[in-house]
């Protein structure tokens, strides 16, 4: 496992694991279900990173972004075919957060919110941009 491993709470971990497999190519590596069928954790591997999913347990304060009304966190994933992945996510029920575009910092990138309330940024580095050029473009974009 990597040093930091996200543990995402969702309303239906089994469906979410399937969705992440279909859209992001996640591979299930472990599963621990509780009596009654609720999921304590499903381990997934996306690229070289483990991501864990759990069902909500509201009585313990463990709730998903859907219950909270949103998330401020975005998980970033480098993808070889970012266009196909982004389209696959939207077709599979994700909501576009930031459209896919070529960025001033050299990535082709976009963000979507999956059906479980988590925000994902997918990107592919397409060109190297000098740090000074990135700083100037960021200042222009965010300096307004």
């Amino acid at each position: 496992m990597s040093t930091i491993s996200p543990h995402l709470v969702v309303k239906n971990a089994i469906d979410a694991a399937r969705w992440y497999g279909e859209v992001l190519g996640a591979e299930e590596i472990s599963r621990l279900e509780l009596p009654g069928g609720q999921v304590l954790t499903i381990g997934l591997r996306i690229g070289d990173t483990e991501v864990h999913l759990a069902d909500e347990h509201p009585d313990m304060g463990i709730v998903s972004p859907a219950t909270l009304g949103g998330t401020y966190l975005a998980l970033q994933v480098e993808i070889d075919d970012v266009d196909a992945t982004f389209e696959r996510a939207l077709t599979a029920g994700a909501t576009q957060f930031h459209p896919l575009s070529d960025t001033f910092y050299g990535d082709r990138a976009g963000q979507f919110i999956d059906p479980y309330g988590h925000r994902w940024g997918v990107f592919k580095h397409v060109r190297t941009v000098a740090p000074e050029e990135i700083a100037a473009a960021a200042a222009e974009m965010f300096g307004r």
Side-chain angles (χ1 to χ4, degrees):
M1 189 179 334
S2 50
T3 303
I4 296 176
S5 179
H7 200 117
L8 307 178
V9 178
V10 296
K11 285 201 176 203
N12 186 325
I14 292 171
D15 283 351
R18 187 176 309 112
W19 196 91
Y20 296 138
E22 291 170 3
V23 172
L24 298 172
E27 172 190 350
E28 186 172 322
I29 55 175
S30 64
R31 182 184 292 213
L32 179 56
E33 292 185 43
L34 299 171
Q38 220 177 6
V39 172
L40 183 62
T41 186
I42 295 176
L44 302 174
R45 182 170 305 287
I46 300 173
D48 63 357
T49 302
E50 284 190 28
V51 175
H52 298 267
L53 306 177
D55 281 329
E56 288 189 310
H57 299 273
D59 55 318
M60 299 174 69
I62 301 171
V63 294
S64 71
T67 296
L68 293 172
T71 182
Y72 294 98
L73 172 75
L75 297 152
Q76 298 292 105
V77 182
E78 186 169 11
I79 301 286
D80 284 333
D81 190 345
V82 71
D83 289 270
T85 300
F86 197 79
E87 183 60 35
R88 194 166 47 249
L90 297 181
T91 299
T95 303
Q96 180 176 280
F97 189 78
H98 286 294
L100 195 60
S101 66
D102 293 328
T103 66
F104 65 86
Y105 46 87
D107 293 348
R108 180 143 180 83
Q111 291 188 353
F112 57 81
I113 299 175
D114 70 34
Y116 309 94
H118 292 282
R119 184 162 40 113
W120 295 84
V122 291
F123 72 96
K124 177 68 177 170
H125 189 71
V126 293
R127 66 185 177 91
T128 301
V129 182
E132 306 79 35
E133 187 180 335
I134 294 172
E140 182 178 328
M141 178 177 279
F142 294 100
R144 292 181 245 159

